[in-house]
Amino acid sequence: QVVESGGASVQAGGSLTVTCIVSGTVLRTCEMGWYRQAPGKERELVSKISNFGTTTYADSVKGRFTISQDNSKKKVYLQMNGLKTDDAAVYYCAASVEVRFLQGCRQYWGQGTQVTVSS
């Protein structure tokens, strides 16, 4: 199960950290990432982090957002600074993990957490 938390309503320029936790048995984590979807728009990648710690960011958030994970690789954070009204969206966590032996990594999605940014 993938559960996001930390979404809130903040003013433009503010900061917020959202957290994603993967519960249950995880044999291996391949990658974890954050996506977002604003009303009327397609879901887009915000940031992702590999099992080796390699990070990727959308151009729109580079320099403002930071993704990190804990040592268990079952928890990932997205620190968001300098929030803009364009950052408002539902933020989804996607965990690419292996939960059964020899199954390989499969992607699991959370239900999302709402981030609202007011001007």
Side-chain angles (χ1 to χ4, degrees):
Q1 186 180 9
V2 180
V3 179
E4 305 97 334
S5 63
S9 180
V10 298
Q11 288 193 327
S15 298
L16 191 66
T17 298
V18 289
T19 301
C20 171
I21 299 176
V22 179
S23 61
T25 300
V26 174
L27 301 178
R28 182 168 60 102
T29 299
C30 292
E31 183 178 270
M32 293 183 74
W34 286 97
Y35 294 72
R36 67 187 181 188
Q37 187 168 20
K41 295 186 177 181
E42 292 188 354
R43 190 173 297 189
E44 62 175 359
L45 173 68
V46 177
S47 181
K48 60 182 178 180
I49 185 166
S50 76
N51 186 43
F52 301 104
T54 303
T55 57
T56 301
Y57 294 94
D59 287 342
S60 60
V61 306
K62 281 181 181 176
R64 299 188 297 121
F65 289 12
T66 302
I67 191 170
S68 61
Q69 61 186 359
D70 73 339
N71 289 336
S72 72
K73 309 292 176 66
K74 294 179 65 175
K75 192 180 292 187
V76 65
Y77 310 93
L78 184 68
Q79 170 71 42
M80 301 181 287
N81 298 323
L83 282 161
K84 305 176 181 179
T85 54
D86 287 347
D87 295 320
V90 177
Y91 282 70
Y92 296 92
C93 178
S96 179
V97 295
E98 183 175 22
V99 299
R100 288 193 178 93
F101 187 59
L102 297 179
Q103 185 184 59
C105 281
R106 296 184 179 181
Q107 193 172 56
Y108 299 88
W109 291 88
Q111 294 300 306
T113 186
Q114 178 72 51
V115 173
T116 303
V117 183
S118 57
S119 58

